[in-house]
Amino acid sequence: MERAIVISGFGGQGLLLCGRVLAHAAMVEGREVLWIPSYGPEMRGGAATCTVIVSDEPIGSPIVDRLDVLVALTTPSLEKHGRLLQEGSLLVVDSSLVSVGPRAGIELLDIPCTQLAVAAGSDKLVSIVALGAVLARRPVVGEAAVRSALTAIVGAKHPELLAMDFAALETGMRTPGALPAQA
Amino acid sequence: MERAIVISGFGGQGLLLCGRVLAHAAMVEGREVLWIPSYGPEMRGGAATCTVIVSDEPIGSPIVDRLDVLVALTTPSLEKHGRLLQEGSLLVVDSSLVSVGPRAGIELLDIPCTQLAVAAGSDKLVSIVALGAVLARRPVVGEAAVRSALTAIVGAKHPELLAMDFAALETGMRTPGALPAQA
Amino acid sequence: MTLGTVAPPIRWTGTPVIVASDRCKGCELCVAACPHHSLALDLGTVNPLGHHPVALIDVASCTSCAFCARVCPDAILTVLAPPKGVDR
Amino acid sequence: MTLGTVAPPIRWTGTPVIVASDRCKGCELCVAACPHHSLALDLGTVNPLGHHPVALIDVASCTSCAFCARVCPDAILTVLAPPKGVDR
Amino acid sequence: MTAVDAPEARVIFERPALLEERTTHYCPGCGHGVVHRLVAEVLEELGIGGRTIAVAAVGCAVFAYDYLHVDFVEAQHGRAPAVATGVRRVRPDAFVLTYQGDGDLAAIGTAEIVHAAARGERITTVFVNNGTYGMTGGQLAPTTLLGQRTTSTPLGRDARLNGYPLPITEMLALVPGTAYAARGSVATPALIGKTKVMLRRACEAQLEDRGFGIVEVLSNCPVGWGMTPVESIAQLEVVAATYPVGVLVDRTREG
Amino acid sequence: MTAVDAPEARVIFERPALLEERTTHYCPGCGHGVVHRLVAEVLEELGIGGRTIAVAAVGCAVFAYDYLHVDFVEAQHGRAPAVATGVRRVRPDAFVLTYQGDGDLAAIGTAEIVHAAARGERITTVFVNNGTYGMTGGQLAPTTLLGQRTTSTPLGRDARLNGYPLPITEMLALVPGTAYAARGSVATPALIGKTKVMLRRACEAQLEDRGFGIVEVLSNCPVGWGMTPVESIAQLEVVAATYPVGVLVDRTREG
Amino acid sequence: MIGTAPERVLLKGNEAIAEAAIQAGCDAYFGYPITPQAELLEWMARRMPEEGRAFVQAESEIGAISMALGAGATGARVMVSTSSPGFSLMAEGMSYMAGSQVPCVLVNVMRGGPGLGGIGPAQADYLQAVKGHGHGDYRVPVLAPASIAEAIALVPDAFEIAERYRTPVIILADGILGQAMEPVAPAYRTPPRHDKPWALGGADGRDPRVVRSLDLQPAALERHNEELQTKFREIAANEVRWAGERLDDADLVVVAYGIAARVARTAIARARDAGLRAGLFRPISLWPFPSGALAEAAASARAVVVVELSAGQLIEDVRLAVEGRVPTFGYGRTGGMVPSPSDVVDALRQAWARSSEVTR
Amino acid sequence: MIGTAPERVLLKGNEAIAEAAIQAGCDAYFGYPITPQAELLEWMARRMPEEGRAFVQAESEIGAISMALGAGATGARVMVSTSSPGFSLMAEGMSYMAGSQVPCVLVNVMRGGPGLGGIGPAQADYLQAVKGHGHGDYRVPVLAPASIAEAIALVPDAFEIAERYRTPVIILADGILGQAMEPVAPAYRTPPRHDKPWALGGADGRDPRVVRSLDLQPAALERHNEELQTKFREIAANEVRWAGERLDDADLVVVAYGIAARVARTAIARARDAGLRAGLFRPISLWPFPSGALAEAAASARAVVVVELSAGQLIEDVRLAVEGRVPTFGYGRTGGMVPSPSDVVDALRQAWARSSEVTR
Ligand SMILES: Cc1ncc(C[n+]2csc(CCOP(=O)(O)OP(=O)(O)O)c2C)c(N)n1
Ligand SMILES: Cc1ncc(C[n+]2csc(CCOP(=O)(O)OP(=O)(O)O)c2C)c(N)n1
Ligand code: SF4
Ligand code: SF4
Ligand code: SF4
Ligand code: SF4
Ligand code: SF4
Ligand code: SF4
Ligand SMILES: [Mg+2]
Ligand SMILES: [Mg+2]
């Protein structure tokens, strides 16, 4: 089973790091994973995207034809990557910044990530909030693995920030809309 | 009819210029000619060689398998190019600098070019003396053409030297050994 | 108007600093450069670039010195001063 | 030797400048540098390089100052002086 | 007191016309924006925008052509002065400008800038010294201060391993072909004003056929330096201790 | 008076042992020969010939390895200081030397020499300035004098077209990494002696771990200059008017 | 896989290559920043001094390759890295190293070109690396990993080849391989060091040694060239590397290397699901090119399709190997674009259709 | 011949190329001294100022190619020249010119390599010139004269191609062609100048123009690359040049260009005298390579022999053209060595003997 997740927005939203957390969590679970960054021409604050492919088998193509999950933190990133969403894909948008209508066959999760992140302690946590929301709907990796990934990545350098990250992750996971749509 | 002439010695013996005179003379006569220089690693005073191919038809190869004439002004140049002499080739050596014994089938012309050149006015004329000697035995180009070549090349830049060059040429042409062997 | 009477001074009600908010990057260099602390980021707004744009928070203190505009890397600010003869 | 008698001075008959003639390029820098005009090209000789090598033409005037050797680009010259206590 | 409308408000400061009204790709607070504006103002005031051929150097400011309303050719990394020389020699009527970063000019492009100066090439160089390679992620530049941490000197620049800050503009000032060389800064409104005067002089050195002109501008790279924009501007004072601001040579008054 | 044999004649001058007993390919009277000898003498006197790794630069003296009895690596044209840096960094015990011409060092190799100096690289550079490209036939070099005819400035060097003579060693002296920089000459026995002292100091700067050392040697290229050897040596006085002989910087006494 | 999980680490390709070099005993690294290779330089900037080894951020790519020439001439194990524009600047230095037989490993993390181009992944320096980088007659072994784990394995191999044959070796990667992360249980390896009777270190007690490429005597330079050619033939005989997947029954042989091979692998699986029997021929050594093996693999196929991130470069070597015996088609993307598996499946389908038309 | 004699002059190839450029309206020349190309630079140093045109001896080959980029971007007619090591240094600049579509003519008078090599004639930069000079996907037209008269004729052609397609063009010569003299009645030609709506000159009264190769958007950079590829296909269709001699009944097709073709011509005459029916196929445009014509010429032959001054470079393009249909043999010399006609005759004999053994 291979799942492709794209997190896209602008630099400063912490999305490359968030992708790394996801990749690390997959590794912790003994799975295969491929993390691919990509930047726009802007030096900082410009477009940035991160693709994470998680699989139980060796991963072939780093380029995917369909996305299982798209986290779109800006409107341009939704425009750019939205076409890879297909029947059954999950789309998470930051309702603080992106407005989007329902799309046929696509599960939409429209949550105010930025606001929630600020509430959790910093607007740099926006991607982690979104990740929490994704995991609530699509448990690509287990929460335990994500926590140990956060501990390894954030904890190693900034242990003082770890609690805030955990909080953001939980906020995301428990945000009302994040619970499975049918629930 | 294609004739290949090599003039070889060290820089400062005027051999590249001499080759140019020969080439120019051939051009004046409306023939095809190819002039090819080659230098050794030494900056000045080192080995230098000049190949002139004169023909009545367009010239193919700039590299020849046999020499019709070799003017060897130093011992190393004789060693290097001597192997291309064949039955009927003419070998001119400067007896002031090179000692050589007779070679089967090869016409040898052993003349003190340097001495003669000094006598004609300058040791820089050594190649012109040798050229005169060559032309006496192998009239590859006519004397008139050589004179007009000298006029064009030497006369254009240093008209005052022209007389000396003519003298050197004549010295070469009239040097005893230069007259056909059988004569 | 009567001689001997001082005319009431004409006051300028224009804005001395015009912000092209959509392109402001919220770097706060103008804020730091303003000698009169007349500027601040508008934390309640996020512009299309994702930044809080700057705003003139104290019109009264602004002297139209244009320090803010001169340090702005994005040429976001236009600075105006009252017409000649018109008071601030 | 008797006290009070001055011993006749010992004279050196060696050559102060030795020329590696085969490798000399006849550039005449040594000739020009010699303060005593003790050197000149040997126009009667052509060495294997095709040059007239330099020669010490006036041993007597040579002071073994080695100017010649120091300017020679080809390290052709070795300069000797009489042993200590031996006159030139 | 009567309040009246003021339609004829005096414009104290506005965007120069040669600066395109477009959001730059530069990081918030990046000094390149200020230098761009100064260049636009000077070209405009000298009335030479229409005959300017500028050379874009590889670095964050390679996209200068998206912001300055003049003709541009894009050079290889470090080669802008040579590219400008090519332009110069075939376009006697053009005003020729290079806009280069410190990695570009003082590292890979050392030979090209030195020889453009040596030739007294009639070109003007705007040299933005932000002490790092902004575009590639904040590595050591020849101009980086001793002790300064960069992504390729994680423990700070150590003279023994990484060498000393290079006073390239002082070196260029030594060359007789350099008609004008100066160092400005974007640190304060006053220095920005002073820098503009320098840029103008460097342009005039070309217009008056005096020789090569260069203005080094001490600039900030908040992202490369790991600072907020405001901190990075304050840091410029520290930078100026190694690279003093002022006119380094002015040969335009000679002859 | 008694004449006796003098078997123990004092040797005032002899060929240094590190200079191979072999005819060089240099033109008669060429200054490279003198500089080779000085280098051999200094290495010998310092006793470092056995641990020297020299870098041969492209130019007439590329064949230095045929004449100096030390290990050599041949660099690309202009890149000797970078090649030497590579040697330096992996061979802490070696004595590292570059021998470069003015075309090599001051034209194509400008960036490499400037940055070796900026890094304070512990290498010693012997820089033979003969004002032309000897090896390729006497073209203009950055160091060519104004008015000097070369095969690529047939009417003489014109500052407007061909630029000014480049004071590269003065520029290098500005860089803090340069421990020692001086300019000597092969014009007279006295200057040759002085130059040898300079070379020794430049080597010591490396041996004492002070930084980069360079000696520019004004040298003649009779063939490139179209002069007899003796005329070319006389011409060195003219050259010295543009390039004054002397120590340009000595930071080895500091600290 | 799960069994080895605890030892796995998540590494960027650039970092993995750097650390693999350090573990392989790399004595010196020289580089100049350029995207998408900068992380390699930055890793070295931190780690090499930690290990007491040499690191220099050079003044340029020319400086870096020249430093490599100097360090390599002393027998040190040396790495340099760059990306496409910088690779062009290293051409002269590489020619010198090939000519003077100096070992060195050069990593080129390719980006889109030509000119300044872009920073996206590409494979558009293929011909340059395998045929024409510098002037003169020489070839350089070129190794192309398709995964981070393979990159780690090829680094010590590259050093070994470099030293065994006294030659520079190129590792050719692309922006994705350089910047992507995969979990790896790094199989680092330190090749043994052998005597280098040519290496410089000072002529104390022995004759001086000279590392050089100049010889003004044509006959001598020709002899030198013949020696080099003999060496190249030896490398060509010994150092061919490639991998095949599903070739046994393949009607369609897909040739691809590096990251393009990863896309091709997925596409081949899909094509097979759709009934098209495709297989993957993946050259690992681009020079020496596995011509013989490819010719054999292609012999029983109906068509060959070359998938690459360039406008058609690898295809030249494929055509030289196949020599017209099987119709050969190319599918290339440029400028930083990477095809998706379905793009490749489409290309395979088209090739298949066209090959059915071709009669030879 | 005699009729035209009065107008003939004796010119070195280097000088002939330089003067032909001047007569073709070359506005600017940039170069750096290197043997065996120095005479070209020196000619320009004298003549360009006489004509009031631009001449700069640059600080390096990189400087020269960069100046060419700048001058070319304004629409000027520009030439640069160099020899092999300098050619390597121009790789990055050429890639930029190809990417930003700047016309320019670059003359490479090849010498022996690799590295510093020697100063004798060689053809060892063939693959570099036609395949891999700089990074990224691009091709550059490469013209190879075989005589001084042909060099003179190809110079204006090169300028014309450069401007018509907005591309750099390479003239590939060797040390003999550069330094030898032949009498020529120079057929100078000045190609007409056309409007260059992309050329820089100041944005007065129009929108600014930008000559650039950067595009950080992969999709846009791919579109740019596709435009370039379209142009290359157009050039490949229109600009193929070659000459054939005695091919009609040739059993043995000898492929050679430049000076090697001259030797081959003489050798072919001798081989024919000895009963071996050989003919000469001489590519003049090395890219686009005359593959179609060669395939046709080779179709009825029993063997193809490639004669070149390199260890085997041209032969790759020959093999791509012949595609294994005719046995193909190579005879190459290196390091400045040039074979004599009898060397080549021997090579032809051997190839003939071996081709008789080959059965395919
Ligand atoms: C030949 C080459 N090498 C390296 C690079 C990568 N590169 C792009 S910009 C840059 C340096 C940028 O630094 P600087 O010139 O200081 O400009 P800044 O971004 O700091 O303004 C480098 C090394 C390149 N494009 N080409
Ligand atoms: C890349 C490159 N460009 C040009 C040359 C040709 N070349 C050989 S030596 C030389 C310059 C020599 O001048 P200089 O360094 O002053 O040494 P000199 O011969 O005068 O002692 C040049 C340009 C080369 N070998 N390589
Ligand atoms: S300086 Fe400019 S960009 Fe920065 S906050 Fe002020 S107005 Fe906005
Ligand atoms: S114009 Fe002067 S006073 Fe007014 S906001 Fe700007 S900096 Fe402050
Ligand atoms: S200086 Fe040396 S080479 Fe010149 S003439 Fe004197 S001894 Fe001979
Ligand atoms: S040692 Fe002195 S005096 Fe004697 S020859 Fe030499 S220079 Fe003249
Ligand atoms: S990286 Fe630095 S120089 Fe580049 S745009 Fe950002 S702040 Fe400016
Ligand atoms: S050309 Fe000049 S530098 Fe070269 S060997 Fe001759 S005199 Fe010396
Ligand atoms: Mg910078
Ligand atoms: Mg010189």
Side-chain angles (χ1 to χ4, degrees), chain G residues 28-85:
Chain G
Y29 169 90
F30 307 104
Y32 187 78
I34 185 166
T35 310
Q37 159 270 181
E39 299 89 352
L40 205 170
L41 175 133
E42 290 166 10
W43 187 276
M44 288 300 205
R46 183 170 61 78
R47 292 277 294 120
M48 292 295 273
E50 273 175 21
E51 300 284 329
R53 315 214 196 135
F55 166 88
V56 182
Q57 179 180 318
E59 58 272 18
S60 70
E61 289 86 354
I62 291 182
I65 198 76
S66 305
M67 291 174 195
L69 167 58
T74 73
R77 213 160 260 182
V78 184
M79 175 175 272
V80 293
S81 67
T82 187
S83 177
S84 308

Side-chain angles (χ1 to χ4, degrees), chain A residues 2 16 20 23-24 26-40 58-66 153, chain G residues 1-2 5 8-10 12 39 119 148 176 179-184 259 262-266 270 338-343:
Chain A
E2 189 171 295
L16 294 179
R20 250 188 85 194
H24 197 102
M27 178 178 73
V28 166
E29 291 187 348
R31 305 169 62 196
E32 294 300 325
V33 63
L34 188 58
W35 172 97
I36 309 149
S38 104
Y39 318 89
I59 296 166
S61 178
I63 305 295
V64 293
D65 286 303
R66 66 161 266 156
I153 294 169
Chain G
M1 265 303 159
I2 305 245
R8 296 198 307 169
V9 290
L10 207 52
K12 284 196 173 199
E39 299 89 352
I119 58 172
I148 294 175
I176 289 189
Q179 298 197 314
M181 292 202 281
E182 286 185 298
V184 277
I259 210 68
R262 298 275 291 262
V263 182
R265 178 187 296 156
T266 302
R270 291 210 204 147
V338 182
S340 72
S342 66
D343 291 336

